Amino acid sequence: IGLGIPAEPLFRSRDKEARESLYWLELLHRNKYLTDEQFNSIYADAEELVRILVARCKKLDLDLGGK
């Protein structure tokens, strides 16, 4: 990636952070800080980002000769 950091751990870290964001969104909604409409919109976008990151991690694993 050009930062002197191996790409695989970087993407894995981002995947974990994205999934943690889903948890926080659920918590905010459960405690009434987000309306149903706000939650559904934001959560759908966040899930899509997680799917993109997971797909990228899998491709990166294959590109690096991993599992």
Side-chain angles (χ1 to χ4, degrees):
I1 292 187
L3 302 173
I5 303 169
E8 186 175 2
L10 184 62
F11 281 108
R12 296 261 182 242
S13 172
R14 296 297 181 251
D15 175 48
K16 181 181 175 188
E17 290 174 15
R19 290 181 191 279
E20 185 176 330
S21 295
L22 294 177
Y23 164 77
W24 285 107
L25 287 171
E26 291 168 0
L27 191 63
L28 287 168
H29 181 248
R30 204 173 321 136
N31 288 288
K32 310 289 188 218
Y33 287 96
L34 294 174
T35 66
D36 289 344
E37 185 178 348
Q38 290 170 322
F39 173 75
N40 291 333
S41 174
I42 296 169
Y43 197 86
D45 291 342
E47 280 186 312
E48 181 64 21
L49 289 172
V50 169
R51 283 192 289 274
I52 290 167
L53 285 168
V54 168
R56 181 62 184 125
C57 285
K58 287 179 181 178
K59 182 174 180 341
L60 188 59
D61 280 346
L62 291 174
D63 290 349
L64 295 174
K67 301 172 191 165

